Amino acid sequence: MLVEGIAERILALGQGRLLVGVDGSTAAGKTSFGHELAERVSAAGRPVLRTTLDDFKKPWRDRHLYDRESGEGYYRNAYDYEAVKRLLLDPCRSPEATACALCSIDPLTQRDHSSDVTQLGADTVLIVDGVFAFRPEIDDYWDFRIWLQVDEDLSVQRGAERDRNWAGSEAESIHRNRYLVAERIYRQEVDPLPVMDVVIDNSVFARPQIVTP
């Protein structure tokens, strides 16, 4: 099984804390894949923590301070990388740290959870999903990098269907004109694929396929 094989590759990296990043286009299936991977790692006996970069966005109350509506504005301004590092990645990287926060600002309720901490074990595997996970601000933290690949039209279609409940008739436009534009900037500026440990074609959820070793 594909996910089991990737879990084995991660565990083969050895003992100590491991940080795994799962990136890819919007609606490529990153969160579901991260959950499934965590289940496999946990079944092998390693403690696992799961979170998403969406829980480390800047609060909506500050959106008047910057552009977050355009594609470029979303890419440049939506995520709070200083909070990601301070609350999550730096503690996980520090052997002396015994806890980390898995959420800064809840993107739905806008409640601040930065003081809610979770215990860190010496051998914890942290699995983080989210777009832009391999931006230069946080790229050096990862021990294993995963990319879920789908084509642009499928990304927009899936994302619009998923978000229609809150975005209504604007869902497709938001995905095509904001998220897709942001992802193109990311790919052009960062070019993350060449440094991936594994790239997975996730066009069909039931039949993911590895497209690079």
Side-chain angles (χ1 to χ4, degrees), residues 11-203:
L11 293 170
L13 295 174
Q15 300 301 306
R17 292 178 190 159
L18 297 172
L19 278 63
V20 179
V22 183
D23 200 344
S25 299
T26 297
K30 298 181 293 297
T31 299
S32 296
F33 184 89
H35 290 338
E36 190 172 352
L37 180 61
E39 290 176 2
R40 294 289 175 176
V41 173
S42 179
R46 289 287 288 273
V48 181
L49 292 179
R50 275 285 288 123
T51 190
T52 175
L53 290 178
D54 281 349
D55 287 341
F56 292 88
K57 287 182 176 177
K58 296 176 182 176
W60 273 108
R61 67 173 182 268
D62 295 336
R63 64 187 180 275
H64 66 284
L65 301 174
Y66 48 79
D67 168 25
R68 186 165 158 178
E69 303 301 313
S70 70
E72 181 158 6
Y74 185 78
Y75 177 66
R76 307 283 180 208
N77 302 315
Y79 289 85
D80 188 346
Y81 294 104
E82 291 305 314
V84 177
K85 291 187 287 187
R86 175 172 48 85
L87 299 172
L88 178 68
L89 300 180
D90 283 337
C92 287
R93 267 284 163 256
S94 171
E96 294 78 23
T98 59
C100 68
L102 298 176
C103 178
S104 175
I105 304 292
D106 186 301
L108 298 179
T109 67
Q110 291 297 290
R111 288 182 57 193
D112 187 341
H113 291 275
S114 58
S115 61
D116 300 336
V117 297
T118 299
Q119 296 303 302
L120 280 169
D123 292 327
T124 294
V125 178
L126 173 70
I127 300 175
V128 182
D129 70 81
V131 293
F132 320 144
F134 308 120
R135 281 179 56 146
E137 293 92 333
I138 57 174
D139 182 57
D140 288 343
Y141 286 89
W142 309 113
D143 298 299
F144 197 90
R145 296 168 173 82
I146 300 168
W147 184 273
L148 298 187
Q149 181 169 291
V150 300
D151 68 39
E152 291 183 346
D153 287 338
L154 182 56
S155 170
V156 170
Q157 176 189 332
R158 282 182 180 172
E161 290 172 355
R162 182 193 66 194
D163 295 340
R164 197 159 280 125
N165 285 341
W166 66 267
S169 61
E170 298 297 313
E172 181 173 346
S173 174
I174 289 171
H175 278 270
R176 190 172 299 281
N177 299 323
R178 184 187 304 171
Y179 300 150
L180 181 57
V181 170
E183 288 156 12
R184 286 174 174 169
I185 295 170
Y186 175 46
R187 294 280 294 269
Q188 181 178 4
E189 291 191 358
V190 178
D191 192 21
L193 268 71
V195 297
M196 293 302 105
D197 293 285
V198 62
V199 177
I200 299 167
D201 183 340
N202 209 34
S203 299

